[in-house]
Amino acid sequence: MSLTKKEKAITKKSLISLLVAVINKHTTIELRNECSVYGKVTSTSPYMDVDLESAILTAADGIQTEFSTLYIAGKNIRYVHIPDDIDIIETLKNIHGRPRGKQAKNK
C-alpha cells in the first residue's frame, strides 16, 4: 500500500512513524477506555491504526478475551509500549534520515 502525500506528511511530522518499528513484534497497547491489548503487531497506518494477531484484550475489570486478529482505530489508542529491544533514536534516524539545514551543519 502506497501512502498519499498527506499521509507521508503526517508520518514525517510525528512519532507515528515509530510504530513501523513495532511491526512483527509483540507489544502492549493501552486504550482510551482503560482496556489494554497485548499481541503481535502486523501493520500500522499513518493515522495510528494498528492490526494485531494473537491478541489478548484485558478489560478494565481484568477479564481477558483472546482474538486471532484485532483492528484498533488510532483514535482509541492512548499509548503504545515500545519494546526494550528497539533503539528509538536509531529507528528514528533510519526512518527520517539525516537532519537537514542548520542542525546538520552543527553536527
Side-chain angles (χ1 to χ4, degrees):
M1 176 176 89
S2 63
L3 301 177
T4 66
K5 287 182 181 182
K6 181 180 178 181
E7 291 171 338
K8 286 179 185 177
I10 290 170
T11 301
K12 282 213 168 226
K13 294 180 182 178
S14 70
L15 291 176
I16 291 175
S17 58
L18 190 58
L19 285 179
V20 173
V22 182
I23 293 175
N24 293 322
K25 299 207 179 273
H26 287 82
T27 192
T28 301
I29 300 174
E30 294 178 20
L31 306 179
R32 295 177 69 195
N33 65 356
E34 306 303 325
C35 294
S36 66
V37 180
Y38 177 81
K40 182 179 178 182
V41 176
T42 56
S43 68
T44 64
S45 81
Y47 300 102
M48 208 166 139
D49 303 331
V50 177
D51 287 304
L52 297 116
E53 64 182 26
S54 303
I56 300 171
L57 172 73
T58 304
D61 60 4
I63 296 174
Q64 293 187 334
T65 308
E66 293 185 31
F67 296 90
S68 58
T69 60
L70 183 66
Y71 168 82
I72 304 172
K75 68 180 183 176
N76 295 320
I77 296 174
R78 174 177 292 147
Y79 186 83
V80 177
H81 293 256
I82 306 298
D84 290 337
D85 64 330
I86 294 177
D87 182 346
I88 295 172
I89 302 298
E90 192 61 35
T91 300
L92 290 174
K93 284 180 184 177
N94 291 338
I95 292 169
H96 295 291
R98 296 185 339 193
R100 298 179 189 165
K102 272 186 173 178
Q103 289 179 339
K105 291 177 186 176
N106 292 337
K107 290 191 176 197

